[in-house]
């Protein structure tokens, strides 16, 4: 890994290559085809992109049961325990409708309503992610969403990963389709003969999935445009180089565009971590992916002081932030931007990916400066409730009408004044 000394004022935010016009046109063509030809287009694209011919798009109950039965009892117990932790955490996020009554009799409030239907995209490709099923489905269930749909690209034999189906089966999700890519997003947004449309689409994917989500936004809602995974480790000389190296590699193995960065005021630690990364890479099964990620998006930044290191981390605004310092929690108040923060050497990032309870769907590419991780809030909508009393309208009606005329909206003013005149006995 490259080691670089940095000082304050230097921008560390990385740039990810943007989509090409060719990619965007391809996505627009796919969306148009799915809207026009429905299931036929989905099957054609599945054959072209995934190399499999499907008679039926929907996963059958028998397939679900076979996948579930193929899992060992130990694996299923791990999935259940992880799900319990995730559910317990998200239950704390639930919002209730609320009401307030003013002295004049006016009632104001907010009605919290779960979305009717959501679509969850589970990526395929270089790895299978049953954890994504847990992290997306559970907050939807906690929110009270009635219809939860999963789409995922099939493998060459026409199946979905057993772990994905087993996790879905454990959670009681039965509506699952063997569709991936931009065509899956189009089907979730606009519907086909087999797949009914949803109200909001969740889940990461490749550049085509991301572009499709962007194109359908407005017709349906989306969670975010997810970028490659990121980790930043903030550490001082008390940290253990082998543990830091292991955690950096845990993100680098995700994708060739994943980012893994150490920020430290200790050159000694920086050199030791760089050496450890090279040593651990030798035996990593996904070595080629991790090495490519580190060569392009990996770095070790050495600052003069811990204060400068903290500011560098805030500039990076990473998806995952690990703090491995002598007193990690002492820095909590000064760390402003990160999707998830892990404090202390026992809080390795994979703990959050799978088991601790908080959601692992997090903002990437610096967007943690202004956005948050997936939560129950993303699966509900809030409606304002106004029951204005006669007394309140008499007291404030003239001011409301005046405000409307300030904006040049005479009909607004008259709508209020009509009621005032009637109550005053005027014509």
């Amino acid at each position: 890994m490259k080691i670089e000394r940095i000082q304050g004022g230097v921008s560390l935010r990385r740039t990810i290559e943007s989509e090409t016009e060719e990619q965007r046109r391809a996505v627009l063509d796919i969306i148009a085809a799915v809207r026009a030809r429905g299931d036929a287009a989905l099957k054609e694209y599945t054959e072209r992109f995934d190399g499999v011919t499907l008679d039926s798009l929907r996963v059958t109950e028998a397939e679900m049961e076979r996948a579930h039965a193929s899992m060992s009892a130990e694996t299923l117990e791990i999935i259940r325990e992880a799900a319990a932790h995730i559910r317990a955490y998200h239950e704390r996020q639930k919002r209730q409708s609320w009401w307030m009554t003013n002295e004049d009799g006016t009632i104001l409030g907010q009605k919290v309503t779960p979305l009717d239907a959501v679509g969850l995209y589970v990526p395929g490709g270089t790895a299978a992610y049953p954890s994504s099923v847990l992290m997306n489905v559970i907050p939807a269930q906690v929110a009270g969403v009635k219809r939860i749909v999963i789409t995922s690209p099939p493998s060459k034999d026409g199946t979905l990963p057993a772990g994905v189906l087993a996790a879905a089966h454990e959670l009681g999700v039965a509506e699952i389709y063997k569709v991936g890519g931009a065509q899956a997003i189009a089907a979730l947004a606009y519907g086909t003969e087999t797949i009914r449309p949803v109200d909001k689409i969740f889940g990461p994917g490749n550049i085509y999935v991301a572009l499709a989500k962007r194109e359908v936004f407005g017709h349906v809602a989306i969670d975010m445009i997810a970028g490659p995974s990121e980790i930043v480790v903030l550490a001082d000389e008390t940290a253990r180089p082998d543990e830091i190296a292991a955690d950096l590699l845990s993100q680098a193995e995700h994708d060739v565009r994943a980012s893994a960065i150490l920020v430290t005021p200790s050159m000694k630690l920086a050199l030791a971590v760089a050496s450890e990364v090279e040593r651990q890479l030798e035996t990593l099964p996904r070595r080629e992916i991790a090495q490519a990620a580190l060569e392009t998006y990996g770095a070790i930044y050495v600052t003069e002081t811990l204060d400068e290191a903290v500011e560098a981390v805030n500039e990076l605004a990473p998806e995952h932030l690990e703090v491995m310092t002598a007193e990690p929690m002492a820095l909590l108040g000064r760390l402003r931007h990160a999707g998830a923060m892990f404090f202390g050497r026992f809080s390795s990032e994979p703990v959050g990916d799978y088991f601790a309870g908080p959601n692992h769907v997090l903002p990437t590419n610096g967007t943690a400066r202004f956005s948050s991780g997936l939560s129950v809030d993303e699966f509900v909508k809030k409606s304002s409730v106004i029951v204005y009393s006669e007394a309140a309208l008499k007291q404030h009606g003239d001011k409301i009408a005046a405000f409307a005329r300030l904006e040049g909206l005479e009909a607004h003013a008259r709508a209020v004044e009509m009621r005032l005149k009637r109550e005053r006995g005027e014509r």
Side-chain angles (χ1 to χ4, degrees), residues 67-79:
H68 191 265
S70 73
M71 297 288 104
S72 68
E74 181 183 12
T75 298
L76 290 175
E77 184 54 38
I78 290 171
I79 290 174

Side-chain angles (χ1 to χ4, degrees), residues 269-301:
L269 179 68
L271 293 169
V273 169
S275 177
E276 268 294 323
V277 166
E278 292 303 316
R279 186 184 69 81
Q280 293 183 30
L281 261 175
E282 292 296 324
T283 58
L284 198 66
R286 293 168 67 88
R287 174 182 175 179
E288 291 185 5
I289 293 173
Q291 192 158 21
L294 292 174
E295 287 174 357
T296 308
Y297 297 111
I300 298 175
Y301 295 128

Side-chain angles (χ1 to χ4, degrees), residues 22-326:
E22 182 181 5
Q23 288 171 327
R24 184 170 182 270
R25 284 199 303 269
V27 167
L28 290 173
D29 288 344
I30 290 171
I31 292 173
V34 172
R35 294 187 72 177
R37 298 190 292 111
D39 286 355
L42 293 181
K43 291 178 180 179
E44 287 176 17
Y45 286 125
T46 300
E47 185 171 0
R48 184 193 306 181
F49 299 135
D50 301 306
V52 57
T53 302
L54 296 176
D55 293 326
S56 174
L57 298 170
R58 185 161 181 169
V59 174
T60 65
E61 185 176 348
E63 287 178 288
M64 296 278 289
E65 291 175 351
R66 279 198 302 271
H68 191 265
S70 73
M71 297 288 104
S72 68
E74 181 183 12
T75 298
L76 290 175
E77 184 54 38
I78 290 171
I79 290 174
R80 289 169 190 146
E81 190 173 347
H85 293 164
I86 296 164
R87 192 175 299 277
Y89 182 88
H90 288 80
E91 285 284 352
R92 299 292 295 269
Q93 297 176 338
K94 286 178 69 173
R95 292 181 181 267
Q96 303 296 325
S97 299
W98 58 266
W99 316 96
M100 56 181 284
T101 302
N102 295 338
E103 291 182 1
D104 60 17
T106 292
I107 300 172
L108 302 175
Q110 187 177 78
K111 184 177 184 292
V112 178
T113 307
L115 301 180
D116 286 346
V118 299
L120 311 177
Y121 186 89
V122 177
T126 59
Y129 298 104
S131 62
S132 290
V133 176
L134 302 184
M135 292 293 181
N136 282 277
V137 169
I138 290 173
Q141 291 178 331
V142 170
V145 176
K146 293 294 188 291
R147 179 173 170 247
I148 299 173
V149 183
I150 292 175
T151 66
S152 189
S155 57
K156 298 293 185 184
D157 63 0
T159 65
L160 295 186
V164 168
L165 294 183
H169 189 69
E170 281 289 326
L171 298 176
V173 179
E175 191 175 349
I176 306 175
Y177 299 97
K178 303 172 186 177
V179 184
Q183 59 272 25
I185 303 304
L188 290 171
Y190 300 106
T192 69
E193 298 93 327
T194 299
I195 304 174
R196 289 183 292 133
V198 300
D199 299 312
K200 190 170 183 177
I201 299 172
F202 297 80
N206 62 20
I207 184 64
Y208 295 98
V209 170
L211 287 174
K213 286 171 71 175
R214 183 186 297 169
E215 292 298 333
V216 302
F217 175 67
H219 184 81
V220 293
I222 62 172
D223 54 349
M224 64 180 76
I225 303 296
S229 190
E230 306 163 346
I231 187 171
V232 170
V233 178
L234 171 63
D236 62 16
E237 66 281 355
T238 66
R240 303 189 179 202
D242 56 344
E243 294 176 354
I244 294 175
D247 290 355
L248 293 174
L249 289 170
S250 76
Q251 293 308 292
E253 73 172 352
H254 266 298
D255 186 277
V256 295
R257 298 188 303 159
S259 174
I261 292 173
L262 166 64
V263 182
T264 178
S266 170
M267 179 59 79
K268 180 180 178 181
L269 179 68
L271 293 169
V273 169
S275 177
E276 268 294 323
V277 166
E278 292 303 316
R279 186 184 69 81
Q280 293 183 30
L281 261 175
E282 292 296 324
T283 58
L284 198 66
R286 293 168 67 88
R287 174 182 175 179
E288 291 185 5
I289 293 173
Q291 192 158 21
L294 292 174
E295 287 174 357
T296 308
Y297 297 111
I300 298 175
Y301 295 128
V302 181
T303 61
E304 290 295 326
T305 66
L306 184 60
D307 288 343
E308 289 181 358
V310 169
E311 285 311 305
V313 168
N314 284 327
E315 170 72 13
L316 287 163
E319 178 187 19
H320 306 99
L321 169 63
E322 289 187 357
V323 184
M324 297 191 198
T325 58

Side-chain angles (χ1 to χ4, degrees), residues 13 223-227 230 313-319 336-341 362-374 378:
R13 295 184 69 178
D223 54 349
M224 64 180 76
I225 303 296
E230 306 163 346
V313 168
N314 284 327
E315 170 72 13
L316 287 163
E319 178 187 19
R336 302 189 303 277
H337 308 307
M341 301 180 184
L362 302 165
T364 59
N365 201 30
T367 58
R369 296 183 67 86
F370 51 79
S371 56
S372 308
L374 188 65
E378 298 298 319

